[in-house]
Amino acid sequence: MGSPVVQIQARLGSTRLPGKILYSLAGRRVVRRVLDSALTANEPETVVFAIGDRPENDAVVEWCERADIPYHQGPEDDLLARHLGTAEAFDADPVVRVTGDCPFIPPGEIDRIVREHGENTARYTTNFAEGMPIGTAVDAIDRDVLSDLRERGDTHPVRR
């Protein structure tokens, strides 16, 4: 199959703070900080956005198009289908998932999870652990796991 691809999940429909990924943080948009971290990582060569398909996300699509950033849109209410569709569109395997509202993900942590996933026999690798700083989670998920979960009807494979 494919190669590791960082997928930044992005949508504007947050119930607690709508539009937060486009807010400015020290002169740069939150989502730009996430993108810069992902682009600085050494392991995955490709970084794409997995964007929800509701009209409210058109601003994210326009931002990606203006900045020439690759993206794929999928169901807003079905995160699994969105990630799987993006994985298929960009031949990603594994999917390296980060969230667009977490501007402090260290690039080295993306590299570490990609390397660890490639070296182990697991189909899902995460750095999530009790007590870790919020907003630094990185997951590597084999594409066939996403497909298997989709067939079972699960819409949110990772719950935090």
Side-chain angles (χ1 to χ4, degrees):
M1 264 212 239
S3 59
V5 173
V6 174
Q7 289 188 18
I8 300 171
Q9 65 187 53
R11 64 186 188 89
L12 295 176
S14 169
T15 55
R16 292 175 291 177
L17 186 58
K20 64 186 166 188
I21 66 170
L22 295 180
Y23 283 24
S24 181
L25 178 63
R28 286 190 311 183
R29 293 185 187 275
V30 168
V31 72
R32 181 73 220 194
R33 291 181 172 280
V34 176
L35 175 63
D36 289 346
S37 288
L39 290 171
T40 303
N42 295 314
E43 294 295 324
E45 294 180 17
T46 305
V47 178
V48 302
F49 277 79
I51 302 171
D53 62 359
R54 288 195 183 144
E56 65 204 28
N57 295 313
D58 289 350
V60 181
V61 170
E62 291 172 20
W63 180 80
C64 285
E65 288 176 349
R66 279 196 315 270
D68 198 29
I69 299 164
Y71 69 91
H72 184 267
Q73 284 189 274
E76 176 83 13
D77 297 324
D78 190 341
L79 181 60
L80 181 57
R82 192 173 351 141
H83 276 296
L84 184 57
T86 305
E88 291 168 348
F90 290 94
D91 196 25
D93 195 23
V95 168
V96 181
R97 187 194 71 88
V98 298
T99 58
D101 61 351
C102 295
F104 304 116
I105 296 171
E109 192 62 1
I110 295 171
D111 289 336
R112 186 182 74 78
I113 293 301
V114 171
R115 276 192 312 272
E116 185 176 316
H117 189 74
E119 293 168 359
N120 68 37
T121 58
R123 297 171 63 202
Y124 171 73
T125 305
T126 186
N127 67 347
F128 181 74
E130 199 64 39
M132 74 179 283
I134 293 172
T136 57
V138 179
D139 304 306
I141 309 162
D142 287 353
R143 188 160 93 191
D144 65 333
V145 171
L146 295 176
S147 183
D148 291 348
L149 290 169
R150 182 77 185 114
E151 287 176 16
R152 288 188 359 211
D154 196 340
T155 60
H156 298 303
V158 179
R159 292 182 175 89
R160 293 204 174 36

